[in-house]
Amino acid sequence: MLGTFVEITADCERAIDAGFEAVELAHRLMSAHEPDSDVSSINRFAHLRPVEIDPWTALVLERAIGWSRHSEGAFDIVCAGKSAVENGLVPMHPGQHSPEVSHWTWLELSGSSVRLMRPACIDLGGIAKGFAVDRAVAALKAAGADAGLVNAGGDIGGFGAQAWPVQVVDPQARRAIANVAVPNGAIATSSVLPDGRAWHLPGIAPDIQSATVCAPSAMDADALTKVVLSGSSTVSRCLRIANARAFVLTGAGAIQSVEPERKVA
């Protein structure tokens, strides 16, 4: 679902079912591969007329636009969508125009109504995956689980009396580079391609292979991995806003922490 394998661990079987139901709903609403999803409807029609979307999709879009603004465009779902189409990673559905613009400012959200000022393509991708993890964690708790872990392709959310051990690996060599304890929160990792490119980003910092972010929300953690990878001057501020911490893997194989901006009293 949402382009990846999803695993759920919990101390209650009924809760696990509820967690998967939450992820399935997020997939139906926000997968660019589903022709009837909210995302596909936006990509096909929002440049012609306002498109009404589900409240869940609106929440993710609102957060995505917020991170675009906070990061000054280092995070951009419209740029990612255009690149995804051009690289054949998401389909063009019947009636969908080729994207003409690739900047988040061409996207407008008003309540549950979405407009694109010109033909474009959005790809919620990782931020929707992180949101699905957050909703699955909430579903586990609501169904009575006392402890649980949701892993959607490396976007991980956990809760319980004991922290969950998570091993972060080098995306190319697949060797372990860090062991992280995830108590009640989330962790996500994003990486560049083997040739150093990152088609889904407006820009990338030199000599960064991957970025890992720990945050209260998997949705924020995933979005912020892209900001950290970009090397934007806004990284520390964005980490502070999300109450997050991060580290990167350099091309030389070193681990470097990325500090959030200090709060001003």
Side-chain angles (χ1 to χ4, degrees), residues 74-168:
F75 179 84
D76 191 331
I77 59 172
V78 179
C79 173
K82 188 172 188 293
S83 295
V85 167
E86 292 173 347
N87 286 276
L89 299 173
V90 299
M92 290 278 289
H93 297 294
Q96 183 174 333
H97 286 251
S98 297
E100 297 177 5
V101 295
S102 59
H103 196 271
W104 66 275
T105 53
W106 292 92
L107 172 69
E108 291 188 356
L109 173 68
S110 178
S112 61
S113 179
V114 182
R115 282 295 310 270
L116 289 167
M117 298 302 100
R118 290 175 61 185
C121 177
I122 68 167
D123 182 14
L124 293 180
I127 193 170
K129 187 170 63 170
F131 175 81
V133 169
D134 292 337
R135 298 312 306 173
V137 166
L140 291 176
K141 293 177 179 179
D146 294 318
L149 188 77
V150 182
N151 181 0
D155 279 15
I156 297 172
F159 67 97
Q162 302 294 323
W164 292 87
V166 175
Q167 189 176 76
V168 180

Side-chain angles (χ1 to χ4, degrees), residues 172-191:
Q172 311 304 334
R174 307 308 299 172
R175 63 180 178 86
I177 60 172
N179 292 303
V180 181
V182 177
N184 291 281
I187 184 171
T189 299
S190 290
S191 63

Side-chain angles (χ1 to χ4, degrees), residues 2 25 61 80 85 127 150 153 159 192 205 235 251:
L2 290 167
L25 177 55
L61 277 177
V85 167
I127 193 170
V150 182
F159 67 97
V192 300
V235 167

Side-chain angles (χ1 to χ4, degrees), residues 183-255:
N184 291 281
I187 184 171
T189 299
S190 290
S191 63
V192 300
L193 298 173
D195 61 5
R197 294 182 300 116
W199 60 264
H200 55 306
L201 297 176
I204 55 173
D207 200 40
I208 294 182
Q209 297 299 308
S210 70
T212 298
V213 175
C214 298
S217 155
M219 177 169 57
D220 288 341
D222 188 286
L224 288 175
T225 60
K226 280 69 174 179
V227 180
V228 174
L229 274 178
S230 76
S232 166
S233 61
T234 67
V235 167
S236 293
R237 183 173 77 241
C238 288
L239 291 174
R240 176 183 59 79
I241 290 170
N243 191 26
R245 54 192 175 91
F247 63 86
V248 299
L249 173 68
T250 70
I255 300 294

